[in-house]
Amino acid sequence: METVSENACFGGVQGVYTHASEACGCDMTFGLFLPDEARDGPVPVLWYLSGLTCTHENAMVKAGAQGWAAEQGIALVFPDTSPRGEGVADDEGYDLGQGAGFYVNATQDPWKPHFQMWDYVAEELPRLITGNFAVDEERQAITGHSMGGHGALTLAMNLAGRYRSVSAFAPISNPTASDWGRKQLSAYLGDDESLWARHDASLMMREAGFDGPVLTDTGTNDQFIDLLRPEALAEACAARRQHATLRMQPGYDHSYFFVSTFMEDHIAFHAEALYAG
């Protein structure tokens, strides 16, 4: 692992690091904010998964999360959204290939050799971070935006007991029924739609649910709302009688102006779960 940069930030440190990823077969970059409390021992951690076209940098720079995390004594991890570099498959479309990993393990060529983002986020990067930084592996929570909201919800419901809480900003809630999903899941996983289900938050909510608090926010003026399908997740929560707070925010769109507006709420929501007990 190599340090790209470390900057003082709200009493803590905002770092950027690169490492050779075994899961993805290429160099990967991530951001990590450590609050001042990390000087004295491991702190709880909130994972932030970004959306289509993003890198580790978008949320790190635009979401306004570090100040609120510093107040709560919580670390923030900002992974990249896909493998990158020469020899890594790509596509002319913005919504497939580099910048669009969709947090799945690809089984189809040409994506299979590098696009193992599920294993990277669920296994490899957590081991690297807990092994090198003062982060408490027993106190984890997860959030994300758009494609990252999809990743946060599906990781949380598939990895029972891993995360104490899950939230999402404008998540892709029902990708098996959306053009933001069917294209990518068929490309990465093949045409057998039974293999897609564990990567659909609405289907997973009906099947498994989440043993903990759930929060989502979506703007009523989100220009992609028909692709996000928040109503499908709401119906699934109602069918399962899952305790969840699913909010529609009047006038907000899909941008980081929206994300940053509600970031304080989301970090306070996760802090309550991370410090419970």
Side-chain angles (χ1 to χ4, degrees):
M1 187 176 64
E2 296 182 2
T3 300
V4 175
S5 62
E6 289 184 332
N7 298 94
C9 182
F10 292 99
V13 176
Q14 176 61 64
V16 176
Y17 309 93
T18 64
H19 69 106
S21 168
E22 292 184 8
C24 295
C26 63
D27 288 344
M28 295 290 286
T29 302
F30 65 93
L32 173 65
F33 170 73
L34 288 174
D36 183 60
E37 288 85 347
R39 301 175 191 272
D40 300 320
V43 296
V45 59
L46 175 61
W47 293 79
Y48 183 101
L49 306 185
S50 288
L52 287 167
T53 76
C54 292
T55 69
H56 69 281
E57 189 175 33
N58 292 71
M60 189 180 80
V61 173
K62 297 179 181 179
Q66 292 91 338
W68 305 119
E71 284 195 8
Q72 302 287 356
I74 292 172
L76 299 169
V77 183
F78 304 101
D80 202 348
T81 55
S82 79
R84 300 179 191 273
E86 292 186 14
V88 176
D90 202 5
D91 187 84
E92 292 182 358
Y94 75 94
D95 56 353
L96 188 68
Q98 296 188 34
F102 255 75
Y103 305 101
V104 303
N105 286 340
T107 60
Q108 306 298 304
D109 291 328
W111 315 107
K112 182 179 178 179
H114 299 285
F115 281 73
Q116 303 296 312
M117 287 301 294
W118 182 279
D119 283 352
Y120 178 70
V121 172
E123 303 299 337
E124 184 179 15
L125 190 54
R127 286 197 303 267
L128 180 71
I129 288 174
T130 57
N132 289 277
F133 300 97
V135 169
D136 185 352
E137 64 182 337
E138 299 299 322
R139 291 185 292 165
Q140 299 189 59
I142 192 166
T143 188
H145 173 227
S146 192
M147 178 184 74
H150 139 81
L153 290 166
T154 56
L155 281 158
M157 286 187 278
N158 276 280
L159 301 176
R162 171 73 65 88
Y163 306 103
R164 295 194 179 185
S165 50
V166 60
S167 74
F169 301 86
I172 301 173
S173 298
N174 189 201
T176 63
S178 168
D179 287 342
W180 268 2
R182 294 192 63 82
K183 172 183 178 179
Q184 296 82 0
L185 294 174
S186 62
Y188 295 142
L189 302 178
D191 294 331
D192 182 355
E193 296 190 20
S194 67
L195 302 178
W196 303 1
R198 67 189 294 255
H199 299 292
D200 186 306
S202 296
L203 298 182
M204 283 301 301
M205 180 59 72
R206 288 179 181 273
E207 177 183 331
F210 180 70
D211 186 18
V214 178
L215 170 66
T216 69
D217 278 302
T218 304
T220 60
N221 284 5
D222 193 306
Q223 57 270 50
F224 306 112
I225 197 164
D226 290 339
L227 296 168
L228 304 176
R229 293 182 49 80
E231 67 279 3
L233 182 61
E235 290 167 4
C237 287
R240 189 174 180 80
R241 298 176 181 172
Q242 167 81 41
H243 173 64
T245 302
L246 312 177
R247 306 189 300 194
M248 299 299 301
Q249 299 294 355
Y252 285 90
D253 61 14
H254 200 69
S255 71
Y256 267 92
F257 297 111
F258 155 68
V259 172
S260 61
T261 298
F262 298 101
M263 182 57 69
E264 180 184 8
D265 285 0
H266 282 244
I267 290 182
F269 163 81
H270 289 295
E272 183 175 357
L274 288 167
Y275 285 110

